Amino acid sequence: VRIDVNRSVSEANDAIAEKIVHSLSGKMILCINVMGAPGSGKTTVLEAIVPQIGAARIAVIQGDLESDIDKKRMEALDVPTYQINTHSGCHLNAVQIEDAIRELDLEGRRFLFIENVGNLVCPANKRIGQHLNIVVSSTAEGSDKPRKYPIIFKDADAVVVSKHDLSTAVGFDESTYLIDIQKMNPHAKLVKTSSKDSSSFRALAKWLEHEWKRFYSQARPAQG
Amino acid sequence: VRIDVNRSVSEANDAIAEKIVHSLSGKMILCINVMGAPGSGKTTVLEAIVPQIGAARIAVIQGDLESDIDKKRMEALDVPTYQINTHSGCHLNAVQIEDAIRELDLEGRRFLFIENVGNLVCPANKRIGQHLNIVVSSTAEGSDKPRKYPIIFKDADAVVVSKHDLSTAVGFDESTYLIDIQKMNPHAKLVKTSSKDSSSFRALAKWLEHEWKRFYSQARPAQG
């Protein structure tokens, strides 16, 4: 008898993820898995869209090996936030998200953002109950990142090119980057942002609102 | 019967890693595992120390999900380089390194650098035949990285704070960063580098030469 351990773990995870999606959809909440390398600016992106979408419509689950630094940043903006510390874990899984959702009051929320562990490899293609994937990738990381980490970029619904103000200083080759994304994932929404310019996050907030409507404009919240 | 699959895989890996260390030590080659987040500047660090140590004394193993971009960068400096593509693999293992070493001509080399997959989580605490670990972490990633990814920083023999020229632009809080490293790993060698200033890599090259002597100054190369 040959037992495929990884496969059965992954199937159990996906069944729970499916349940989460179903439950959140019933509440007309859009769940967004925010992924990116360490220091790509995932929390900064969330901070910047809070005032544009409204703190009252957002809840956040923060994933990190250690520390609750990012949870505190979100709570400073009055966004209810649950911290998951994975310790040595390299990505979040559906069981952790199920537990976190149990602790969060999602009444009246439209968006549940899950900030995954900083990692361009392991969170890719994992189902944790998300409707959409956002990949944040900073200009400081270099323009070759889509070529080197294609799996996560191929599966992104939106790619946020963060720290755009550093482009010149770091010699970011934007045309190569954009051509590569276009080749591997032509449907991804592309947004350039800079923490120095709050208006640069408007297109992302608008896209999120648009996606919420795409999922739910025909829907009515489920009973109970 | 309970079978711990992960444990037996890890034990098999470590036995091979042990063999690699023994074999390289016999040839008086120091093997350095270079780790860091995607885009932290691992390849740039290697490029910068080549002229200081001498291309003839270096060999490199490159690890990346896809592409041979970094291999080409090293070969442009006349450094023999072997590319490992892990596809979805999030870190290198000892079997891959054993295979790579078989393909490299290490005659007369003093340093074998292994550039691991860009990842601050999974390569930590993995034995792949290295004598030393270097963690490269850029100012653009932010000063909270040691707190968020302590496992990899605790196990580093040297920490390279790269892209130091961006410190002011990105608001890098150097004193917090240094205090955190000092607390979790007081013996780590700390080096600040910038690709705009080749002299900033001198301290790292000097440390590497010093480490080589510490390992081998009393040794004689093994026969055969």
Side-chain angles (χ1 to χ4, degrees), chain B residues 37-85:
Chain B
S40 55
K42 297 179 286 303
T43 313
T44 302
V45 166
L46 293 181
E47 285 175 326
I49 58 176
V50 165
Q52 312 215 8
I53 290 180
R57 295 160 78 194
I58 296 175
V60 169
I61 297 171
Q62 281 290 348
D64 249 313
L65 270 64
E66 304 289 345
S67 98
D68 59 354
I69 298 172
D70 294 343
K71 175 182 193 264
K72 284 179 183 154
R73 286 170 66 182
M74 298 314 304
E75 286 177 341
L77 301 174
D78 290 322
V79 174
T81 304
Y82 186 86
Q83 180 74 51
I84 298 171
N85 280 138

Side-chain angles (χ1 to χ4, degrees), chain B residues 2-222:
Chain B
R2 200 165 157 260
I3 303 168
D4 191 332
V5 178
N6 291 328
R7 191 171 150 194
S8 63
V9 169
S10 156
E11 280 172 4
N13 177 82
D14 292 356
I16 297 167
E18 198 60 45
K19 262 178 55 187
I20 298 171
V21 171
H22 185 78
S23 159
L24 293 176
S25 297
K27 292 175 183 146
M28 297 173 69
I29 296 170
L30 201 62
C31 180
I32 298 114
N33 180 19
V34 182
M35 299 176 285
S40 55
K42 297 179 286 303
T43 313
T44 302
V45 166
L46 293 181
E47 285 175 326
I49 58 176
V50 165
Q52 312 215 8
I53 290 180
R57 295 160 78 194
I58 296 175
V60 169
I61 297 171
Q62 281 290 348
D64 249 313
L65 270 64
E66 304 289 345
S67 98
D68 59 354
I69 298 172
D70 294 343
K71 175 182 193 264
K72 284 179 183 154
R73 286 170 66 182
M74 298 314 304
E75 286 177 341
L77 301 174
D78 290 322
V79 174
T81 304
Y82 186 86
Q83 180 74 51
I84 298 171
N85 280 138
T86 64
H87 308 294
S88 62
C90 52
H91 64 88
L92 296 174
N93 62 49
V95 174
Q96 292 165 325
I97 301 304
E98 194 180 37
D99 290 346
I101 287 175
R102 211 171 285 134
E103 302 296 322
L104 277 170
D105 180 9
L106 295 176
E107 186 63 35
R109 307 283 152 178
R110 278 195 172 193
F111 298 96
L112 173 61
F113 293 100
I114 303 173
E115 186 180 326
N116 221 308
V117 176
N119 190 325
L120 271 188
V121 186
C122 311
N125 288 338
K126 299 287 193 302
R127 294 167 68 185
I128 54 172
Q130 78 272 39
H131 296 93
L132 297 170
N133 289 320
I134 293 181
V135 172
V136 181
S137 146
S138 93
T139 58
E141 292 165 29
S143 28
D144 56 5
K145 290 301 147 301
R147 276 188 209 194
K148 286 184 172 176
Y149 303 86
I151 304 173
I152 204 162
F153 283 95
K154 278 180 186 164
D155 201 34
D157 297 289
V159 174
V160 177
V161 188
S162 61
K163 310 191 192 190
H164 208 262
D165 52 300
L166 298 177
S167 292
T168 310
V170 299
F172 183 68
D173 179 354
E174 188 166 306
S175 71
T176 297
Y177 187 96
L178 297 182
I179 288 166
D180 285 344
I181 295 279
Q182 179 64 26
K183 259 192 245 166
M184 62 179 64
N185 186 350
H187 301 296
K189 172 77 180 173
L190 254 156
V191 187
K192 305 172 200 169
T193 63
S194 159
S195 64
K196 309 280 198 301
D197 172 15
S198 64
S199 74
S200 68
F201 295 88
R202 250 183 241 153
L204 182 63
K206 231 174 130 174
W207 177 78
L208 285 163
E209 299 278 14
H210 177 268
E211 288 298 303
W212 188 90
K213 280 182 198 143
R214 194 165 68 78
F215 273 85
Y216 298 127
S217 65
Q218 309 294 322
R220 293 279 166 277

